[in-house]
Amino acid sequence: MALLKVKFNQKKRVKLAQGLWLMNWLSVFAGILVFSMGLFLKIELRKRSEVMDNSESHFVPNSLIIMGILSCAFNGFAGKICYDSLDPAKFAKWKPLLKPYLALCFIFNILIFFVALICFLMRGSLDSTLAQGLKNGMKFYRDTDTPGRCFMKKTIDMLQIEFKCCGNNGYKDWFEIQWISNRYLDFSSKEVKDRIKSNVDGRYLVDGVPFSCCNPSSPRPCIQYQVTNNSAHYSYDYQTEELNLWRRGCREALLNYYSGMMSSMGAVTLLVWLFEMSVMIGLRLLHTSLESVTNPEDPECESEGWVLENSLKDTFKSALENLKKLGKFNRVNAGAEGAEGEEGGKTPAITTVS
């Protein structure tokens, strides 16, 4: 029994073709939307590529851009088919292409569904990318005189100000690296010498943070040096001073920002996928209803349209059988080629008669 079997007359076929033509052009605009989302996400990721460890995070925007382009191409082509289906003479040239086209549409819909899922599942990969990238970026914060790294201080400072964050996982991350350049250290000072000697790697470590970690909402002037030394500041307890420095790490802030953006894009892509599926089903009904017209010379005659000629179960079984036949055919061919190779490798014996 056919799946989603529907009876059509001439009027219904025309209405279906006109409706599909409109839906295809709406799908073109949906493709432009998906393309624009991918382009926007790519630009946003490139803005902070210095604090990202690898280019894997660009898989999502690249996929959205490709899906958007393909959606425009597929739906523009389908719109032309639907428009020509109103004229039997014009539709005749599209008939041989419809089945392969619908197969490509099916593959495209699987891909767009996969991309929508990836938008929701990229959080883990993005987390590790940001964690390592921010760690490396903070190490290069002091290298203001090193070519290729001189921009890192500005990048990190602007990032912490914009996202109201501090460090990788928190402000204490700055205590573990030397973020002040040697150029601005007085090596004749006893304090500087003692701090460098007390560190195994010879680094100048302090319990301080860059100015960009300061929270402007704090009621007192920002305390960015000797942060954990309560006695160094009047009426101060670093464990209770919630407003002095940003407590949230930049990894968490960026992860929430990009994850929220990608989740929204994933939801929009899923809606586009549902719309594309409805267009594909409608196109399949139009295709089968036009193919099943018993008398092509009588445009008013009734016909039947369906999505699958047999039930879902029978179609699945038929597909499995075809795959098995294809596998057997390949094995037979491989065996025949092997046998020919063996025969060709044998050399006939030559006897010499004296």
Side-chain angles (χ1 to χ4, degrees), residues 256-320:
N256 290 340
Y257 174 71
Y258 285 120
S259 294
M261 189 186 295
M262 285 195 286
S263 295
S264 300
M265 290 179 179
V268 172
T269 308
L270 273 178
L271 290 174
V272 172
W273 170 75
L274 288 171
F275 195 72
E276 292 282 359
M277 284 293 292
S278 63
V279 171
M280 186 183 71
I281 290 168
L283 193 60
R284 174 62 176 165
L285 287 170
L286 179 65
H287 167 227
T288 50
S289 66
L290 288 170
E291 273 199 336
S292 63
V293 171
T294 52
N295 185 10
E297 294 179 1
D298 180 17
E300 299 293 332
C301 69
E302 289 191 348
S303 62
E304 289 183 340
W306 57 83
V307 175
L308 293 174
E309 196 169 356
N310 301 311
S311 66
L312 198 61
K313 186 179 178 181
D314 292 339
T315 304
F316 184 69
K317 281 182 180 179
S318 177
L320 280 178

Side-chain angles (χ1 to χ4, degrees), residues 111-294:
L111 289 175
I112 201 167
F113 180 73
F114 174 73
V115 170
L117 286 182
I118 290 294
C119 289
F120 295 106
L121 301 174
M122 276 296 288
R123 186 181 175 90
S125 175
L126 190 61
D127 189 10
S128 58
T129 296
L130 286 169
Q132 191 59 43
L134 282 165
K135 187 179 179 182
N136 294 334
M138 287 170 66
K139 284 179 183 176
F140 302 142
Y141 181 88
R142 62 175 179 164
D143 296 340
T144 50
D145 299 325
T146 307
R149 296 179 187 171
C150 53
F151 60 85
M152 192 55 74
K153 180 184 180 297
K154 182 182 177 181
T155 299
I156 297 291
D157 282 334
M158 293 302 293
L159 176 70
Q160 293 187 146
I161 291 168
E162 183 181 350
F163 286 90
K164 299 178 180 180
C165 59
C166 184
N168 192 340
N169 298 306
Y171 70 91
K172 289 185 179 179
D173 291 336
W174 289 107
F175 301 172
E176 299 171 6
I177 62 169
Q178 181 182 336
W179 55 273
I180 301 172
S181 173
N182 288 339
R183 181 181 177 183
Y184 304 107
L185 293 177
D186 181 7
F187 286 95
S188 63
S189 167
K190 185 177 181 301
E191 183 192 349
V192 173
K193 287 179 181 178
D194 290 344
R195 281 191 179 275
I196 292 173
K197 285 178 182 177
S198 65
N199 186 263
V200 178
D201 299 322
R203 294 178 298 169
Y204 182 74
L205 303 182
V206 292
D207 58 340
V209 296
F211 78 96
S212 51
C213 282
C214 294
N215 185 346
S217 300
S218 174
R220 68 182 298 161
C222 182
I223 296 172
Q224 64 181 107
Y225 294 105
Q226 294 184 320
V227 175
T228 57
N229 186 358
N230 291 337
S231 61
H233 312 282
Y234 177 73
S235 184
Y236 174 74
D237 184 354
Y238 80 94
Q239 292 182 331
T240 59
E241 288 290 328
E242 293 286 343
L243 298 176
N244 194 56
L245 301 174
W246 300 119
R247 296 290 176 127
R248 185 173 63 160
C250 290
R251 179 185 60 81
E252 182 189 345
L254 283 172
L255 186 62
N256 290 340
Y257 174 71
Y258 285 120
S259 294
M261 189 186 295
M262 285 195 286
S263 295
S264 300
M265 290 179 179
V268 172
T269 308
L270 273 178
L271 290 174
V272 172
W273 170 75
L274 288 171
F275 195 72
E276 292 282 359
M277 284 293 292
S278 63
V279 171
M280 186 183 71
I281 290 168
L283 193 60
R284 174 62 176 165
L285 287 170
L286 179 65
H287 167 227
T288 50
S289 66
L290 288 170
E291 273 199 336
S292 63
V293 171
T294 52

Side-chain angles (χ1 to χ4, degrees), residues 94-106:
W94 298 117
K95 261 191 177 183
L97 299 174
L98 268 174
K99 276 190 179 179
Y101 174 75
L102 285 166
L104 286 174
C105 282
F106 183 71

